[in-house]
Amino acid sequence: MMNDKDLRQQAYQAVEKSLKTAQQDPYRQGFHMTPPVGLLNDPNGWIQWQGKYHMYFQWMPFHTGHGAKLWGHYSSDNLVDWKLEPIALTPSDWFDKNGCYSGSSIDHDNKLKVFYTGNVRNDKGDRETYQCLAESDNGIDFIKKGVQVELPEGYTAHFRDPKVWNHDGKWYMVIGAQTLEKEGTVAFFESDNLEEWTHKGELAGPVDGLGYMWECPDAFQLDGKDVLIFSPQGVKAQGIDFNNQYQTGYVIGKIDYENGKMEHGGFTELDRGFEFYAPQSMVDEKGRRLLVGWMGVPDQGEEHHPTIKHHWIHNLTLPRELRLEQGNLYQLPVEEMKQLREEKLFEQAVGSEISHDIARTSELIIETEGSLDHLELKLFDFLTMSYSKEEGYLTLERPNLASEETERRSCRLIEGVKHVQVFIDRSSVEIFINKGKEVFTTRMFADPEKRLLKVKQKGKEQLKLTAWKLKDNCIQQDISNWYNK
Ligand code: FRU
């Protein structure tokens, strides 16, 4: 086990060594949070605290694979411009020596408190798991308070990712878990004082067919209903559903806090694209429920990402506002994203077809008075989104990163396309359909020289296409002020 100081020093050196290479990658994003170098996965500890937004993240600075994660940290005043802060947590104690795994933040007693999973491999190589606490007075420097929750009976050591919240004056915690029968579930805890935690059973799960492990649960109230988001592993593909290696989705219902149970409906995928996993949400000071996900999926072709040559891999999604509409979770880019607009490239009506060069960091909006029956959008000769009302599906296609064979993800959409908003950030694409009803989050490794956008439609509807060039210098990764050189 390495101590905190050495880990920080080595991470600093790793960043110093390869940051330029990473930043010179033509696939490097301009307004999405990336790891300075190395691998980023889940968003962690997402909070607006004393006015500032803090996004911590799972970080492996030493290579582009997984391993004993640190907590990296970005902060922001406006959700648009992000500043890399010094490392928040290092895996330097007996209870987290093989990784400070995912967790969440709360504001309590004027402190920012984070609950996270200490991942441990014991002498025999077996996994152990501890739910730990760390506290901060400034959001930057943390003092670890050690283990708060031990593994209860009835679960394997796949037990992690505590999400803590307050409801009616009591504290609650959900933890992603696996039963001894190897089924995914969500363990539920209650506390009066944030010190002693009582295990109240399973809030939800297991559910037949919903996999062997549920990661990163997040439970909250939205528009009068309770929502539980989680990322199950081991769900089999069924037609157009569940096509990624692992899924992320939600159930809606009602939490019975007294008995520690949630009654809920069926599981719906939250995002229909190729890369989306382990999202986390929080309520900001404007009262909005904001969600950020990891734009990646574990064990899904990570070794084929071309960015590895430049010593980095993965990024987070844009912050999205969640709403509940007719029993569906909608995701919309936060309104602050308008601040990214640097220059309007064009705005024009499209009768049937248009081709236009755009910037590698662009926003597109397709609007129409009624709704479109047929639409095709092609980006940089790489990614194609197409819709046919007769078929009732909207489909995204790209060449597979390894085989280059066309692969696709689809969703049902019967009402036609009324609105499309697309954020392109060099190798990241987020497509919001019909004002957040469906979202496709996807990486796009197109030839860096390509700029061409093609939009086609059939039918009598007019559509208006607007394109902006977006700011591309929003992620500040200056480590010269880190004190652990
Ligand atoms: C999800 C996850 C979490 C875990 C973390 C480790 O991607 O596997 O369950 O805490 O990543 O980096």
Side-chain angles (χ1 to χ4, degrees):
M1 183 170 70
M2 247 198 284
N3 67 38
D4 180 65
K5 185 160 174 277
D6 289 351
L7 276 163
R8 285 170 188 270
Q9 219 161 47
Q10 291 199 10
Y12 180 87
Q13 283 160 6
V15 176
E16 211 181 22
K17 182 160 167 248
S18 305
L19 183 61
K20 267 229 168 69
T21 311
Q23 287 176 333
Q24 283 165 354
D25 188 345
Y27 293 132
R28 186 79 157 178
Q29 292 88 345
F31 54 91
H32 282 80
M33 284 176 265
T34 49
V37 303
L39 175 144
L40 162 154
N41 56 305
D42 311 352
N44 290 155
W46 175 220
I47 193 168
Q48 185 178 19
W49 186 70
Q50 301 187 348
K52 224 182 225 320
Y53 292 98
H54 294 272
M55 177 56 84
Y56 306 88
F57 59 90
Q58 287 287 285
W59 187 29
M60 169 43 71
F62 306 125
H63 51 82
T64 50
H66 293 267
K69 303 285 167 58
L70 291 71
W71 274 36
H73 180 195
Y74 278 102
S75 70
S76 174
D77 293 320
N78 59 6
L79 293 175
V80 174
D81 300 293
W82 293 92
K83 173 172 176 249
L84 186 71
E85 300 282 5
I87 294 161
L89 297 174
T90 64
S92 50
D93 284 279
W94 71 264
F95 48 78
D96 60 17
K97 72 180 178 68
N98 298 97
C100 296
Y101 274 11
S102 287
S104 56
S105 288
I106 53 164
D107 169 28
H108 182 247
D109 269 354
N110 259 334
K111 289 187 166 57
L112 194 164
K113 300 190 176 182
V114 304
F115 288 87
Y116 68 99
T117 296
N119 181 50
V120 171
R121 291 277 174 183
N122 66 21
D123 298 343
K124 294 193 217 110
D126 294 334
R127 189 188 288 268
E128 293 175 6
T129 175
Y130 302 97
Q131 312 317 311
C132 311
L133 170 68
E135 299 183 353
S136 176
D137 291 321
N138 59 7
I140 293 174
D141 308 294
F142 284 84
I143 295 172
K144 289 187 190 170
K145 297 287 174 181
V147 180
Q148 310 294 302
V149 175
E150 302 258 2
L151 179 64
E153 274 179 27
Y155 305 99
T156 73
H158 286 288
F159 188 85
R160 53 181 171 263
D161 313 332
K163 179 89 199 302
V164 176
W165 75 102
N166 193 288
H167 176 81
D168 278 353
K170 282 196 184 183
W171 296 97
Y172 295 91
M173 181 191 284
V174 278
I175 297 181
Q178 180 179 64
T179 64
L180 296 177
E181 291 73 40
K182 305 266 159 66
E183 294 173 301
T185 189
V186 173
F188 190 52
F189 290 79
E190 183 186 78
S191 173
D192 292 324
N193 51 15
L194 281 180
E195 281 165 20
E196 289 105 54
W197 290 91
T198 313
H199 179 220
K200 300 201 54 148
E202 282 89 57
L203 185 69
V207 174
D208 262 357
L210 261 195
Y212 54 79
M213 170 65 191
W214 292 2
E215 295 190 313
C216 299
D218 185 2
F220 52 89
Q221 202 178 49
L222 187 68
D223 301 328
K225 299 263 195 235
D226 292 320
V227 180
L228 174 67
I229 294 180
F230 55 99
S231 295
Q233 301 189 318
V235 182
K236 290 209 176 68
Q238 286 169 30
I240 59 164
D241 293 329
F242 314 137
N243 282 197
N244 285 339
Q245 176 68 16
Y246 305 126
Q247 323 307 323
T248 291
Y250 62 94
V251 295
I252 295 178
K254 177 115 199 82
I255 296 177
D256 175 350
Y257 280 88
E258 202 47 40
N259 297 307
K261 279 269 166 257
M262 179 173 182
E263 288 221 348
H264 59 79
F267 178 79
T268 306
E269 273 177 277
L270 185 55
D271 191 287
R272 309 298 307 200
F274 293 93
E275 276 95 12
F276 185 83
Y277 197 69
Q280 196 173 84
S281 77
M282 59 94 172
V283 177
D284 79 346
E285 288 169 6
K286 292 187 178 146
R288 303 174 293 182
R289 169 95 18 207
L290 303 183
L291 176 123
V292 173
W294 169 28
M295 207 183 281
V297 178
D299 306 328
Q300 188 176 285
E302 294 178 270
E303 67 280 16
H304 301 297
H305 282 226
T307 65
I308 283 175
K309 288 199 292 291
H310 288 258
H311 303 296
W312 70 284
I313 180 167
H314 301 312
N315 59 281
L316 298 180
T317 69
L318 295 177
R320 301 154 179 197
E321 184 174 350
L322 295 182
R323 302 232 180 101
L324 208 56
E325 289 190 30
Q326 287 130 25
N328 289 308
L329 210 46
Y330 276 53
Q331 307 178 64
L332 277 165
V334 291
E335 63 176 359
E336 284 88 337
M337 293 303 119
K338 291 196 178 119
Q339 295 169 37
L340 288 168
R341 293 175 185 170
E342 206 170 59
E343 180 197 341
K344 194 184 262 191
L345 296 172
F346 57 87
E347 175 179 319
Q348 71 191 73
V350 182
S352 58
E353 201 172 330
I354 181 180
S355 298
H356 223 298
D357 274 358
I358 55 168
R360 298 280 293 189
T361 53
S362 289
E363 180 187 347
L364 310 173
I365 292 191
I366 292 174
E367 292 160 290
T368 175
E369 298 265 300
S371 75
L372 303 166
D373 295 350
H374 282 271
L375 178 67
E376 190 180 290
L377 185 145
K378 210 173 169 100
L379 272 174
F380 305 160
D381 292 318
F382 187 92
L383 194 72
T384 307
M385 186 198 91
S386 52
Y387 176 68
S388 150
K389 190 164 179 176
E390 282 120 59
E391 286 160 24
Y393 294 108
L394 192 134
T395 298
L396 192 67
E397 290 181 335
R398 72 172 183 191
N400 178 274
L401 296 184
S403 68
E404 299 201 352
E405 275 167 35
T406 301
E407 54 181 357
R408 42 185 71 79
R409 295 289 182 270
S410 301
C411 71
R412 286 282 285 156
L413 192 78
I414 49 173
E415 68 268 33
V417 173
K418 298 170 181 168
H419 192 273
V420 183
Q421 187 173 17
V422 187
F423 287 86
I424 302 157
D425 192 0
R426 300 208 175 93
S427 63
S428 291
V429 181
E430 285 159 281
I431 306 176
F432 298 85
I433 310 288
N434 291 354
K435 305 248 166 140
K437 179 163 189 224
E438 300 288 355
V439 184
F440 286 76
T441 300
T442 283
R443 298 301 298 282
M444 170 179 68
F445 298 110
D447 175 343
E449 299 304 316
K450 303 269 172 148
R451 297 279 184 281
L452 195 64
L453 161 74
K454 286 187 194 161
V455 176
K456 255 197 228 171
Q457 70 134 339
K458 277 194 258 170
K460 30 189 192 328
E461 284 282 343
Q462 275 272 322
L463 74 77
K464 188 173 87 180
L465 170 67
T466 313
W468 284 269
K469 178 182 185 304
L470 299 184
K471 251 176 93 174
D472 69 351
N473 56 353
C474 299
I475 311 297
Q476 194 197 310
Q477 295 166 327
D478 176 12
I479 57 165
S480 61
N481 61 350
W482 284 21
Y483 38 79
N484 39 260
K485 296 174 200 179

